Amino acid sequence: MDERLRGVMGPDDEAYFEVATHAPGPSGSLPLTPEQLLNAPSGDLFGWSQNVGMGWRPERLKGREVLLLGTLGGIRNEDGTPAALGYHTGHWEIGLLMKAAADEISGAGGIPFAGYVSDPCDGRSQGTAGMYDSLPYRNDAAIVMRRLIRSLPTRSAVVGVATCDKGLPAMMVALAGMKKLPGVIVPGGVTLPPTRGEDAGKIQTIGARYANGELTLEEAADLGCRACATPGGGCQFLGTAGTAQVVAEALGLTVPHAALAPSGQPVWTAMARQSARAAMALAASGLTMSDLLTDASIRNAMVVHAAFGGSTNLLLHIPAIAHAAGLAVPEAGDWAAVNRAVPRLVSVLPNGPIPHPTVRVFLAGGVPEAMLHLRKLGVLEEKALTASGLTVGEVLDWWQGSERRSRMRAYLADREGIDPDTVIFSPLAAKAAGLTSTVTLPTGNLAPEGSVIKSTAIDPSVLDENGVFRHVGRAKVFTTEREAIRAIKLGGIAAGDVLALIGRGPSGTGMEETYQLTSALKHLSFGKRVTLLTDARFSGVSTGACIGHIGPEALAGGPVGRLRDGDWVDIRIDTRGLDGSIDMVGCGERPESPAEGAALLAARTPHPGLAEDPDLPDDTRLWAAMQAASGGTWKGCVYDANRIISTLKAGMRALEENGV
C-alpha cells in the first residue's frame, strides 16, 4: 500500500469486519388510530417511525412537539473541554441551554426536536475577507432557519436559542416571519470579564497600540490570553450581541429578565427552562408571533435601544424584523424622534460614563429595570404582549415587587460594591451624570440619504459647552480598510484628520464592519481628534466621532465616492438636539460653503480607486443586488420578495422590448 494512503487509512481493526446487516428495531408499537391511517399525511406517519428509530418511546409519541432551533457551534466533551472549537464563545455553550429546555419539554410530556444553524464571529473576521459574509449571513441564515421550521410540519412552537451579532438577529428575523406559530427567544447570555485585564472590545486594539508604542509585546500577550474570562456567551460590552439580546426582550420575545444573563450559571439555564414553559403555554393558549410582534412592540424595541445606548447595527436589524413580521418599517425620522424623546439610562461598556460590563447590567435589573423608568416617562407601549403571555405593563407590575429584582440588585450592591442605580439610572440622575441620547442621523452634501452616528459615544472632552461636536478638517481618503488601518499603525493619520473610508458599503464589501479602525482610534491617545466617515458600518462596541451607513453608498453614485485627499469636510453633531451635518466645503487653502462644496462634488468623477472588492464572493454580490432592489440600508438590507420580483419582471420586459 502507498505510504500516503496507509497514513490516512491506518491499521485495520478486527472489529471493522463485523458488519451488521439487519437489526430487530424498537420494541412496542406506534399508537396509531384508524383515523390517522385514513387521513394523516404519510410524512406524519413516517415521522413517528423515525422518532422511535432515534430512541423515543412509542407510548410518548402523542406529546406536543416543540422545535429547539439553535446557533450552536463547536463540539464540547462531557467535561466541557473542546473536542472541536466553535467560531466564538457566543455559540459554544448554547447546547447546554438547549438541553435544559429539552428536559423541561420532555418532562412536561412534550417532544423536543433540535436543529442547528451556526453563526460567524464578527470579532474573528474583523479586517479579513470573512467580513464580506457577515451582514449577508443574517438574511441567508434566517431563510435556512425558516426552512427548517417549516420542514417540521408537526411542530407546535419554536424556541430560538442564539446569542451573538448575526445569529440572534437572524433568529429574530426568522421567527418574525412565522406569523402563525408561537415562538420564544432564548438569548445566549454574556461571558464574564477577567478579574484583572481588558474586555473583549479593548483587547481587539492590541495590534494598533503595540504599533504606536502604547503597549509592549509581553503586555499584549498577557492581556489577550485572559480577555474572554469564561468560555461561553456574547462579549462583555453592549455591542451588537448584547444589544440584540436587549432588543429581543424589549420586543416581548423572551421571558422577563432574560437578556445579558451570565453564561453557564444556574440563573442562565433556569432561563432556558422558563422559556420552554413559556413556549408550551403559548401553544396551549393559541398565541402566536403575530400576537407578540406588533407595531407597538417594534416601538418598544426602539425605545429600549435608545435607553440602553445600543449598537447602531440594530438600525439594520429592527427594520428587518419589522419587515419579516409584515409591520411598518421604521424610517430615519422615526429613529430620530425616538432618540429625542428617550434619554439614555444605562451606564455600560463601551459608552460609560462608568465602564460597567454587561453582567452588572443584568444584576441591576436589565431590561425590566430600565423599562420601569421608561414607563414613568410615558414612552412605553404597555399593552404589548410578551412571551410570558402577559402584557409589558403586567410584567413590570410583577418585576417591581419581585424577590428576583430585590435580591439581584442587593447582590450587586453587597457582593460587588456597585450601586445598581449607577448602572441603570433614573432619567434625572442620568441627566446629572451627563448621559446623552444615543443616536444622531446626520445629513449633508456627503450624505443626502442620511448617515448614523452613536453620538452619545463621542468623547465629552471634544464637545463644546452646548454639547456640540464640530470638526473642520482635511480628508484622507481610503478605498480599503487594509490601507486605512496601515495608515493608523504607521503614523499616516494624525489629530485633526478626517479619515474617509469609501466604497465599503453593500455593493463594495457586503457593508463590512470597520471596528478595526474605530477601536484603534478610541484607544490611541490622538484618536478622539480624528473623525471617521464611511459607507460601511461599525461594531456595536465602536465609540468616537464615527459616522457610518452614509447613503447613497459610494458605488451607488453617492457623493461620498467623489471625495479626494485634501478636501475640507465640515462635521457638526449636536448631541443634545440630535441633529447634524457632514458637508464637503471645498479643496483650496480655506474651507468654503456647503453649496460650493456640493458644486465641486457634482462636477467630479468618482474616486479612481473606487471599485467592488476583487475578493467579494458572488454570494455577497447577489445579496447586495437583492437588498438594493428591496430598499437598501435604510430598509434594513432585507429581501423584499415583491420588489425583487417586480424589478426582475421590469428588466425582462425591457430586454424583450429591445429584442434581446
Side-chain angles (χ1 to χ4, degrees):
M1 181 187 291
D2 185 283
E3 286 303 314
R4 290 170 297 178
L5 189 57
R6 187 188 305 277
V8 172
M9 299 301 291
D12 289 328
D13 188 297
E14 193 63 31
Y16 296 171
F17 303 100
E18 296 293 327
V19 180
T21 59
H22 55 83
S27 60
S29 60
L30 302 182
L32 294 167
T33 65
E35 182 182 4
Q36 284 175 296
L37 290 171
L38 289 170
N39 300 314
S42 65
D44 288 1
L45 303 178
F46 182 54
W48 273 14
S49 295
Q50 295 202 73
N51 293 350
V52 297
M54 289 182 280
W56 202 259
R57 296 203 304 272
E59 65 271 19
R60 298 190 61 196
L61 284 171
K62 290 188 175 182
R64 190 185 299 277
E65 296 181 6
V66 178
L67 173 60
L68 300 166
L69 191 58
T71 56
L72 178 70
I75 304 172
R76 289 168 53 93
N77 294 315
E78 289 188 9
D79 63 358
T81 57
L85 292 168
Y87 285 28
H88 55 98
T89 61
H91 64 208
W92 175 245
E93 290 187 337
I94 276 179
L96 302 179
L97 287 171
M98 297 179 77
K99 174 66 163 58
D103 288 346
E104 191 69 29
I105 292 163
S106 59
I111 305 173
F113 285 77
Y116 304 92
V117 182
S118 194
D119 58 351
C121 174
D122 281 2
R124 187 179 291 273
S125 58
Q126 291 293 337
T128 76
M131 187 50 71
Y132 303 160
D133 291 292
S134 170
L135 183 55
Y137 161 91
R138 186 204 65 189
N139 289 3
D140 297 344
I143 289 171
V144 173
M145 289 169 177
R146 281 195 293 264
R147 291 194 187 282
L148 285 175
I149 293 168
R150 291 190 293 262
S151 297
L152 186 66
T154 51
R155 76 281 183 267
S156 62
V158 178
V159 178
V161 189
T163 302
C164 280
D165 292 28
K166 298 303 175 299
L168 182 49
M171 189 70 74
M172 290 190 281
V173 170
L175 265 62
M178 305 303 297
K179 303 177 185 66
K180 297 180 180 180
L181 191 67
V184 178
I185 291 288
V186 180
V190 298
T191 190
L192 298 183
T195 305
R196 290 182 300 277
E198 295 180 352
D199 66 87
K202 187 173 183 179
I203 207 64
Q204 293 179 53
T205 70
I206 54 178
R209 285 185 286 158
Y210 174 76
N212 280 267
E214 298 186 11
L215 202 65
T216 68
L217 175 63
E218 292 74 18
E219 288 169 335
D222 176 63
L223 292 168
C225 188
R226 289 183 281 112
C228 298
T230 54
C235 293
Q236 310 106 331
F237 47 80
L238 195 73
T240 304
T243 306
Q245 294 188 37
V246 165
V247 162
E249 186 166 347
L251 285 167
L253 300 184
T254 76
V255 297
H257 199 218
L260 311 179
S263 179
Q265 299 189 45
V267 69
W268 177 76
T269 46
M271 182 256 294
R273 294 192 295 273
Q274 293 158 358
S275 301
R277 293 196 292 270
M280 291 185 287
L282 288 174
S285 67
L287 292 174
T288 67
M289 292 301 295
S290 63
D291 297 302
L292 303 185
L293 277 179
T294 62
D295 290 335
S297 58
I298 294 293
R299 177 173 172 81
N300 281 344
M302 296 169 70
V303 165
V304 173
H305 175 274
F308 269 75
S311 163
T312 54
N313 276 320
L314 272 294
L315 274 71
L316 299 172
H317 300 319
I318 290 176
I321 294 164
H323 173 265
L327 303 171
V329 175
E331 298 180 347
D334 301 315
W335 285 103
V338 165
N339 278 270
R340 288 190 180 105
V342 179
R344 181 165 69 92
L345 304 178
V346 181
S347 182
V348 61
L349 286 164
N351 302 331
I354 305 170
H356 293 299
T358 42
V359 67
R360 290 182 183 169
V361 179
F362 176 78
L363 289 169
V367 171
E369 190 67 25
M371 278 185 154
L372 285 180
H373 295 299
L374 296 170
R375 174 160 71 170
K376 291 177 184 177
L377 291 175
V379 294
L380 276 184
E381 301 283 353
E382 291 191 57
K383 293 184 179 179
L385 276 174
T386 72
S388 65
L390 302 176
T391 65
V392 167
E394 290 169 329
V395 168
L396 295 181
D397 289 341
W398 163 77
W399 175 257
Q400 188 157 18
S402 69
E403 180 185 13
R404 182 184 181 104
R405 179 193 183 214
S406 60
R407 292 191 62 179
M408 288 283 183
R409 286 168 60 82
Y411 185 95
L412 182 62
D414 298 341
R415 295 287 190 93
E416 299 293 309
I418 303 294
D419 180 355
D421 291 329
T422 63
V423 181
I424 300 175
F425 288 83
S426 69
L428 283 176
K431 185 176 182 179
L435 277 72
T436 52
S437 295
T438 299
V439 169
T440 301
L441 302 153
T443 56
N445 66 28
L446 288 174
E449 287 183 359
S451 60
V452 176
I453 181 171
K454 187 159 63 170
S455 48
T456 194
I458 299 175
D459 192 305
S461 68
V462 297
L463 304 178
D464 68 17
E465 65 275 10
N466 297 312
V468 175
F469 172 78
R470 185 74 185 275
H471 182 188
V472 180
R474 289 192 180 270
K476 290 184 177 176
V477 182
F478 301 89
T479 57
T480 71
E481 188 189 19
R482 179 173 295 180
E483 293 170 351
I485 192 65
R486 182 174 175 82
I488 290 173
K489 287 183 175 181
L490 299 182
I493 299 294
D497 287 343
V498 176
L499 193 167
L501 177 64
I502 61 173
R504 314 308 282 178
S507 300
T509 66
M511 203 178 187
E512 68 184 0
E513 191 175 85
T514 58
Y515 179 62
Q516 208 183 184
L517 306 181
T518 60
S519 61
L521 292 174
K522 176 181 178 179
H523 294 292
L524 292 173
S525 54
F526 63 86
K528 66 183 178 181
R529 302 199 180 277
V530 175
T531 301
L532 174 58
L533 308 180
T534 185
D535 52 5
R537 60 193 175 90
F538 302 127
S539 165
V541 72
S542 294
T543 63
C546 307
I547 301 171
H549 301 215
I550 290 176
E553 62 170 313
L555 284 166
V560 72
R562 294 192 285 275
L563 269 177
R564 299 290 194 275
D565 282 344
D567 283 349
W568 289 101
V569 181
D570 187 343
I571 299 134
R572 185 188 63 84
I573 308 294
D574 183 346
T575 64
R576 297 176 190 170
L578 298 187
D579 61 41
S581 57
I582 48 172
D583 292 296
M584 189 275 224
V585 289
C587 57
E589 290 298 316
R590 296 182 182 82
E592 299 178 75
S593 71
E596 289 166 311
L600 281 169
L601 288 171
R604 284 180 178 170
T605 58
H607 190 285
L610 201 59
E612 176 188 284
D613 195 286
D615 295 329
L616 195 67
D618 283 347
D619 301 330
T620 301
R621 295 176 66 223
L622 183 60
W623 166 86
M626 290 196 293
Q627 67 85 36
S630 303
T633 300
W634 293 100
K635 291 292 183 182
C637 295
V638 299
Y639 298 157
D640 185 324
N642 291 332
R643 290 182 68 165
I644 292 169
I645 291 168
S646 176
T647 301
L648 288 172
K649 286 182 176 178
M652 292 298 295
R653 282 195 299 270
L655 290 172
E656 290 169 1
E657 289 168 1
N658 287 286
V660 179

